[in-house]
Amino acid sequence: MKALPRDARNARGMARRDFAWRPSTMVAAYAAAASLWILVSDRIVRVSVGRPGLAETFDSLKGLAFVAITSAVLYLLLRHLGREALARRVLPTTVFDSAGFGIAIADARSNRLIAVNRAFAQARQRQAGEFAGLPLAVLFPQERQGDLQRLLDGIGVGEHGVIDSEHVRADGSRFPVRIDATVVRDAEGTAQHRIAFVFDLSESRAIERALADSERRYRDLFNQSPIGKLVCDGERIVMANQRALSMFRAGSAAQLVGRSLLDLVPEARRAAVLERLERFQATGEVLPLQQDRARRLDGQEIDIELTASPLREGGRRLLHVIVQDVSERRALEREVIEISTAEQARIGREIHDGICQQLLAIDLMVLGLERRLARGGADAQTLESLRQVAAQIEQALAQARALANGSAPVHIDAGSLRTSLEAMAASASSSHGLPCVLEFSGDAGALDQVTATHLYRIAQEAVVNAAKHAQATRIDIRFDAQGAAFGLRVSDDGVGLPDTAPAWGHLGLSIMRYRARIIGASLSVVSRPGAGTEVRCERAGAAP
């Protein structure tokens, strides 16, 4: 770096005393020097020059020298006063000194600094007085001298120019700056001065780097997430991570970005999703975790879990969608339920074909023995004991048949669903000794055999739980079907679930939830402590 001042002290960054530029000092120095010159020069002439003609010549030269010195001093004084007048004319002193950004004034002919304000000097770790007379080039690192030349060329042609470059501090460190410079011309149009507004970009660049690092970290987390993520502006997809690309069978981000979110939704679900998007745009509400269906780019439909929340960016409200493919899990759940159902059916058949038949045979044998003993004149106490044994066997047979029918009911489809539910309600009333009433409405003809079977099992589990655990005096089953939509509610007037009990902690409730998922329905449990519990299974908004 070039030395800023003109002597060694200034080269070390020390403040210099600029007495030579003070008008009072200049006048005093000039008066002393002129007086000394007159006294000394006259004595020298009288002593050293003996001829009158030569003495006159020396007097003339002395007078010319006096005029020259006076002219030079007057020039320097006027130049200094002109600089101060320029600063006062171009920028008010208070603005110039108190501005929060650097201001520098330079001579247009010599490209040397005339004045800088406090902020300019502080940014470079120096005093403002150190910069007077310095060339502009010393402000720039050696390799950024081209920036200065481009700026000078630009404002020479267009009167105004802006560049981003670097300046050097007193300790040799560099910092980024933005220079906004313009030219001041005289009445004839000649460039006299250049004024530059210099902004220290250190803090803003640090903020930009921090924002860039933050954005990079966010993008890395977004792209590397094991869960699919989409960002949508309205219904248009603007970002998609790698997991989402894989989930929807997209070869690149370009195959998803720019598309409508509705392209990833099955036709039957688009109206509901569009309504949800419009509600989000109006309210910005968070979408809780829920199950739904999605459509891949190749047309294949998959089961998904999704949640959505608002994301602010530049005043816009974007939609951040987190989606996970649960097709394999749902398939496994269906397989587990099917295996459980098949096992229940097998046990039911074995009870019906094995235990029930054996109990029936024993009952017949006991009845036959009772008749033979009666004909043989057996005593009344023996006959009564046999009748009690037969009654116990018949009671066990009835319970075994009820268990067998509950584990393996007759074939259930849309046509027999009502009959099956009625039989279950009647069995529950007789088995548990409390009223179980069915209210069936609508047309269930559109339901397939799988849906009807799972609805029966859900109602059965809910009734058993209410009878065993709710301490209820009445159970109500209400079912309504309208096409493919349906609503099933099983309610009781028991004690309800304790606040500390997990809603899905019971195995039976978990199985009910799995069954609801399989048929595309939602399952919820509404508990009113001291006033009963209600289990709801609904699909497509149907309400019983």
Side-chain angles (χ1 to χ4, degrees):
M1 174 182 171
K2 296 181 180 179
L4 290 180
R6 298 167 182 165
D7 56 25
R9 291 179 62 190
N10 291 333
R12 292 193 298 268
M14 298 175 63
R16 65 187 174 93
R17 297 181 178 179
D18 199 6
F19 293 115
W21 293 107
R22 296 179 182 176
S24 59
T25 304
M26 291 174 62
V27 171
Y30 173 71
S35 301
L36 182 61
W37 168 256
I38 293 172
L39 295 174
V40 173
S41 61
D42 287 344
R43 179 175 291 276
I44 292 174
V45 170
R46 287 195 301 268
V47 171
S48 60
V49 180
R51 290 180 296 173
L54 187 57
E56 291 178 0
T57 301
F58 271 101
D59 284 339
S60 298
L61 292 175
K62 182 180 68 172
L64 292 175
F66 180 79
V67 171
I69 294 172
T70 303
S71 298
V73 171
L74 181 60
Y75 168 76
L76 293 175
L77 179 60
L78 291 176
R79 182 180 177 185
H80 176 68
L81 295 176
R83 289 173 177 170
E84 292 187 347
L86 172 68
R88 289 193 296 270
R89 184 173 70 252
V90 175
L91 292 170
T93 303
T94 54
V95 174
F96 184 76
D97 290 336
S98 63
F101 50 88
I103 303 175
I105 303 173
D107 182 75
R109 291 182 294 274
S110 64
N111 288 326
R112 289 180 176 272
L113 289 167
I114 296 174
V116 300
N117 71 340
R118 185 182 298 109
F120 186 95
Q122 288 177 347
R124 290 147 190 82
Q125 301 173 344
R126 297 186 181 274
Q127 300 296 322
E130 297 181 39
F131 291 90
L134 294 178
L136 296 175
V138 301
L139 301 175
F140 295 80
Q142 188 62 39
E143 64 272 18
R144 302 303 293 264
Q145 295 293 320
D147 295 343
L148 172 60
Q149 191 57 51
R150 284 193 296 273
L151 177 63
L152 295 176
D153 293 342
I155 61 177
V157 175
E159 305 290 331
H160 179 263
V162 179
I163 63 166
D164 284 354
S165 186
E166 288 183 337
H167 273 185
V168 181
R169 297 188 179 96
D171 60 4
S173 62
R174 303 177 182 184
F175 63 102
V177 294
R178 176 164 295 157
I179 306 172
D180 187 334
T182 189
V183 171
V184 177
R185 299 183 183 274
D186 59 17
E188 287 75 26
T190 303
Q192 296 294 317
H193 303 94
R194 294 188 175 98
I195 302 175
F197 300 94
V198 186
F199 301 92
D200 185 349
L201 301 182
S202 301
E203 184 175 352
S204 62
R205 292 289 171 82
I207 294 174
E208 289 174 2
R209 287 193 297 270
L211 289 175
D213 291 343
S214 177
E215 182 178 358
R216 184 165 54 253
R217 287 193 296 270
Y218 169 77
R219 288 185 178 275
D220 289 343
L221 290 173
F222 182 84
N223 287 322
Q224 296 172 11
S225 172
I227 300 177
K229 293 187 176 184
L230 301 171
V231 177
C232 302
D233 186 358
E235 68 176 71
R236 294 293 167 185
I237 301 172
V238 296
M239 288 180 65
N241 71 345
Q242 291 299 320
R243 184 68 185 101
L245 298 182
S246 174
M247 185 185 308
F248 292 104
R249 299 291 189 266
S252 65
Q255 291 183 283
L256 279 186
V257 174
R259 298 180 72 106
S260 171
L261 185 62
L262 298 179
D263 292 344
L264 306 180
V265 178
E267 186 70 31
R269 295 285 302 143
R270 289 183 180 177
V273 172
L274 183 59
E275 179 183 357
R276 190 182 302 164
L277 286 173
E278 292 173 349
R279 188 166 63 249
F280 170 80
Q281 289 296 327
T283 64
E285 66 178 0
V286 175
L287 179 69
L289 183 67
Q290 58 185 255
Q291 289 77 41
D292 211 323
R293 298 278 290 173
R295 179 180 177 273
R296 288 173 169 157
L297 296 184
D298 58 8
Q300 179 185 3
E301 292 189 10
I302 57 175
D303 296 312
I304 61 170
E305 283 185 347
L306 66 94
T307 181
S309 58
L311 178 65
R312 290 284 183 180
E313 182 178 295
R316 295 183 301 165
R317 179 190 290 157
L318 304 181
L319 177 65
H320 184 201
V321 182
I322 299 176
V323 58
Q324 187 170 8
D325 183 358
V326 294
S327 299
E328 293 184 3
R329 191 181 76 189
R330 294 283 292 277
L332 180 60
E333 291 174 358
R334 283 192 290 270
E335 184 177 353
V336 170
I337 295 298
E338 290 170 0
I339 292 174
S340 174
T341 301
E343 183 65 13
Q344 287 181 346
R346 184 188 66 80
I347 293 173
R349 287 192 299 271
E350 290 182 357
I351 292 174
H352 182 272
D353 297 339
I355 296 176
C356 287
Q357 300 305 320
Q358 291 177 0
L359 288 174
L360 179 60
I362 294 172
D363 185 42
L364 293 175
M365 292 173 62
V366 170
L367 291 175
L369 178 60
E370 187 265 336
R371 285 195 293 270
R372 287 196 301 272
L373 290 176
R375 287 195 300 269
D379 59 278
Q381 184 176 0
T382 301
L383 296 176
E384 180 60 25
S385 297
L386 287 174
R387 293 190 188 97
Q388 290 178 1
V389 170
Q392 291 293 327
I393 293 173
E394 290 173 358
Q395 184 177 357
L397 178 60
Q399 292 177 353
R401 284 174 174 170
L403 181 61
N405 290 333
S407 300
V410 294
H411 179 75
I412 300 175
D413 55 22
S416 64
L417 178 59
R418 179 170 187 166
T419 303
S420 299
L421 290 175
E422 289 175 344
M424 181 185 65
S427 176
S429 296
S430 62
S431 299
H432 302 291
L434 72 164
C436 185
V437 181
L438 172 68
E439 180 182 333
F440 195 101
S441 61
D443 181 11
L447 303 180
D448 56 31
Q449 187 265 336
V450 173
T451 301
T453 299
H454 284 299
L455 285 172
Y456 175 86
R457 291 296 189 186
I458 291 171
Q460 183 184 46
E461 182 68 29
V463 168
V464 170
N465 284 341
K468 289 184 176 180
H469 307 297
Q471 303 177 27
T473 60
R474 176 185 174 91
I475 300 175
D476 290 290
I477 306 172
R478 288 181 290 170
F479 183 80
D480 175 74
Q482 299 294 335
F486 59 78
L488 170 67
R489 295 190 180 184
V490 179
S491 58
D492 62 70
D493 60 354
V495 296
L497 294 175
D499 293 337
T500 56
W504 301 109
H506 193 278
L507 178 61
L509 294 177
S510 298
I511 294 176
M512 291 161 63
R513 181 178 63 176
Y514 295 151
R515 291 187 185 277
R517 286 182 181 175
I518 290 172
I519 59 179
S522 62
L523 187 78
S524 60
V525 177
V526 180
S527 176
R528 300 177 296 274
T533 303
E534 183 176 73
V535 176
R536 301 175 182 175
C537 181
E538 300 170 329
R539 186 170 74 181

